[in-house]
Amino acid sequence: MNATHHLISLGGYLDVDKYRYIYFVVFLTLYLLILCCNLTIICLIWIHRNLHEPMYIFIAFLSVNSILLSTAIYPKLIVDVLSSRQTVSHAACMLQYLIFYSLAGSDFLLLSAMSFDRYVSICRPLHYAATMRSATVGLFLSLVWILPASLVLVATVFTAKQKMCRLVLLGIFCNNSIQKLYCVLPRFLTVWGLFVLTNITLIPVVFIVFTYIKIFIVAYRSCGEIRKKAAETCLPHLMVLIGFSCLCGFDVIIARLESDLSDTVRLIMSLQIVVYNPLFNPIIYGVKMKEIWKHIKRLFFCRRTRV
């Protein structure tokens, strides 16, 4: 079956005809909230000079990733629920797959860069200015986008060339479940997938855990001010990492056990993957990061008081 000439049906929705407008309102509301929350964080960091530090720049780029990811997913969801048939072309599905996993890998690498920044700031404060220069930050930001995109692009191109035996995807967007549509996937793709997973997920997570162990050891042995700094700047990153890792686990579970999961469970897990991280990351950073929260209060609460 030539993949390029067929539409893939999205079979992950529950009673679209019955709940069409509920889906529409929920998806549109979530998308607008994600845009507003992340744009607020980006604009605050852009406007205020005291936030022009590597830590906040990395947070801003996490928000950029959230906007890009949501824009690759939500407009299509909104169009689908208003349509009589929920379908996607093979090319569009592979593009969504590429964007989704490239940005997911980018998030892990951004969190690694943030953990390195916190490590230097807390454990080697005298070397911070020399280490975290503008050139270093620029190099990190280039790598966190180019490396995952390049690795996932190879997998996407080779997957797209395979013969398809099914045209019904048990999901609402194109993720790893698309591999179940192909008749046979070559061993190379399995090996490459493990290579990509190791480089953009496992190694960054191990690196993050290692750096935070070092940070907490130094903080524990230091004065109260260092402990306070570690708690204020590191705990939000850990909360985001734990949440994101759990959601990546959901993605793997959906792909491996899709036939064993009920339609309701599969839909809820799929939605969490594209709701939790893009929506709650800016909220976590906005509330837990002292300097960002200070500017948010000035932006919203002070204006309300004046009015």
Side-chain angles (χ1 to χ4, degrees):
M1 186 185 296
N2 193 330
T4 58
H5 299 298
H6 290 84
L7 290 175
I8 298 170
S9 297
L10 300 170
Y13 291 98
L14 295 176
D15 300 322
V16 180
D17 294 334
K18 184 177 180 182
Y19 300 115
R20 185 183 310 278
Y21 296 107
I22 295 177
Y23 279 128
F24 171 76
V25 171
V26 170
F27 290 155
L28 181 61
T29 301
L30 286 172
Y31 185 47
L32 293 177
L33 282 173
I34 288 168
L35 290 180
C36 290
C37 291
N38 284 285
L39 284 173
T40 299
I41 296 294
I42 293 168
C43 290
L44 287 175
I45 293 171
W46 178 274
I47 292 168
H48 297 285
R49 286 188 173 275
N50 69 320
L51 299 181
H52 291 183
E53 297 177 9
M55 176 176 63
Y56 299 111
I57 292 171
F58 292 140
I59 290 173
F61 274 83
L62 268 179
S63 286
V64 170
N65 276 6
S66 294
I67 291 173
L68 293 174
L69 176 64
S70 302
T71 302
I73 302 291
Y74 280 95
K76 181 68 172 71
L77 296 181
I78 292 168
V79 170
D80 283 341
V81 297
L82 294 179
S83 304
S84 56
R85 296 179 60 197
Q86 291 72 49
T87 60
V88 61
S89 69
H90 181 257
C93 191
M94 296 312 299
L95 178 61
Q96 193 177 64
Y97 174 93
L98 171 63
I99 294 171
F100 180 75
Y101 287 107
S102 296
L103 292 175
S106 178
D107 277 357
F108 273 115
L109 293 179
L110 271 171
L111 290 170
S112 299
M114 293 163 78
S115 69
F116 177 73
D117 173 77
R118 291 300 83 206
Y119 169 77
V120 177
S121 175
I122 294 170
C123 301
R124 299 178 179 271
L126 298 179
H127 298 87
Y128 185 79
T131 304
M132 298 304 295
R133 296 173 298 172
S134 298
T136 306
V137 174
L139 177 62
F140 282 159
L141 292 176
S142 299
L143 286 175
V144 300
W145 273 348
I146 293 172
L147 181 61
S150 301
L151 294 175
V152 177
L153 179 62
V154 173
T156 304
V157 170
F158 276 90
T159 302
K161 293 179 179 179
Q162 305 308 309
K163 183 180 178 182
M164 298 182 73
C165 288
R166 291 172 52 193
L167 290 173
V168 178
L169 180 70
L170 297 179
I172 58 176
F173 63 92
C174 297
N175 60 356
N176 265 326
S177 297
I178 194 173
Q179 295 180 357
K180 298 291 183 71
L181 305 184
Y182 296 97
C183 303
V184 178
L185 288 176
R187 183 177 295 274
F188 164 77
L189 277 174
T190 302
V191 175
W192 185 258
L194 291 173
F195 176 75
V196 174
L197 181 68
T198 300
N199 280 276
I200 66 176
T201 303
L202 297 181
I203 291 177
V205 169
V206 171
F207 176 79
I208 292 167
V209 171
F210 174 77
T211 54
Y212 278 110
I213 288 173
K214 295 284 287 184
I215 288 170
F216 288 126
I217 289 173
V218 170
Y220 179 76
R221 293 174 178 174
S222 302
C223 63
E225 189 64 29
I226 298 294
R227 294 179 189 177
K228 184 180 178 182
K229 180 181 179 181
E232 286 180 353
T233 60
C234 296
L235 287 180
H237 302 329
L238 285 177
M239 290 170 64
V240 170
L241 174 66
I242 293 168
F244 192 52
S245 299
C246 291
L247 296 177
C248 289
F250 283 176
D251 183 67
V252 172
I253 291 170
I254 291 172
R256 296 290 178 267
L257 304 175
E258 64 175 16
S259 58
D260 299 324
L261 299 173
S262 69
D263 294 341
T264 303
V265 171
R266 192 166 55 243
L267 177 61
I268 291 172
M269 290 176 72
S270 298
L271 283 175
Q272 284 192 72
I273 293 170
V274 293
V275 170
Y276 182 87
N277 234 50
L279 181 58
F280 291 109
N281 280 7
I283 294 175
I284 289 171
Y285 285 122
V287 173
K288 293 293 184 180
M289 299 297 285
K290 183 179 177 181
E291 290 300 317
I292 296 178
W293 177 238
K294 187 190 303 180
H295 289 298
I296 289 175
K297 286 194 293 186
R298 286 176 183 171
L299 179 64
F300 293 104
F301 299 107
C302 291
R303 285 186 177 182
R304 185 177 300 175
T305 303
R306 289 173 187 173
V307 173

